[in-house]
Amino acid sequence: MHDDPDQQELELTSALVPLFVISMGRALPADHEYEHTTLVTAQPGASSAARTLPPEAREVMDLVTDGFLSVAEVSGHTHLPLGIVRILLAQMEEDGLILVRKPIPHAERPDRELLSAVLDGLHTRFGA
């Protein structure tokens, strides 16, 4: 019967089980904060160790082997939630399989008055 409350609850929570399995029940360690724009790439020579990884981690390694990708891009390509991708990346970083480059901090806004003066000087020098 479809009206059984136990069966409905199982159907609602069954989609969450694979995510728990993918992360192997781990949580993101406090010292591994990955922003959306954090860039990751594979360590040189890490492809041989990638063969022993779970399928989702292998897919991440395949994506980042040829260059840098942001955490958001990895999540988009793998169709995994950001939280799960962050947990996978933390484990891979601890295992020495990937390099992580933190995003460049936002610069201070330039002085609008200075930019206007430079623009006026360029117009005066080279014409409009």
Side-chain angles (χ1 to χ4, degrees), residues 8-120:
Q8 288 176 347
E9 185 177 332
L10 179 63
E11 289 174 5
L12 292 176
T13 59
S14 64
L16 299 177
V17 173
L19 298 178
F20 181 82
V21 172
I22 291 170
S23 67
M24 295 185 210
R26 288 176 288 204
L28 184 64
D31 58 337
H32 287 81
E33 292 294 325
Y34 299 109
E35 295 182 31
H36 291 85
T37 56
T38 299
L39 298 176
V40 294
T41 190
Q43 284 270 22
S47 58
S48 61
R51 286 182 250 158
T52 62
L53 293 173
E56 295 80 15
R58 252 189 320 229
E59 184 179 3
V60 171
M61 281 298 291
D62 290 342
L63 287 171
V64 300
T65 296
D66 295 328
F68 282 94
L69 280 181
S70 70
V71 173
E73 289 173 315
V74 171
S75 176
H77 286 295
T78 60
H79 304 290
L80 292 172
L82 275 170
I84 298 299
V85 169
R86 288 176 174 144
I87 293 170
L88 287 173
L89 292 174
Q91 184 61 44
M92 293 166 69
E93 184 180 11
E94 287 175 4
D95 293 342
L97 298 175
I98 61 170
L99 294 171
V100 177
R101 191 173 92 189
K102 303 292 182 196
I104 299 170
H106 294 283
E108 292 183 22
R109 290 188 162 246
D111 182 14
R112 241 177 133 62
E113 199 172 294
L114 174 65
L115 291 176
S116 181
V118 169
L119 186 60
D120 289 342

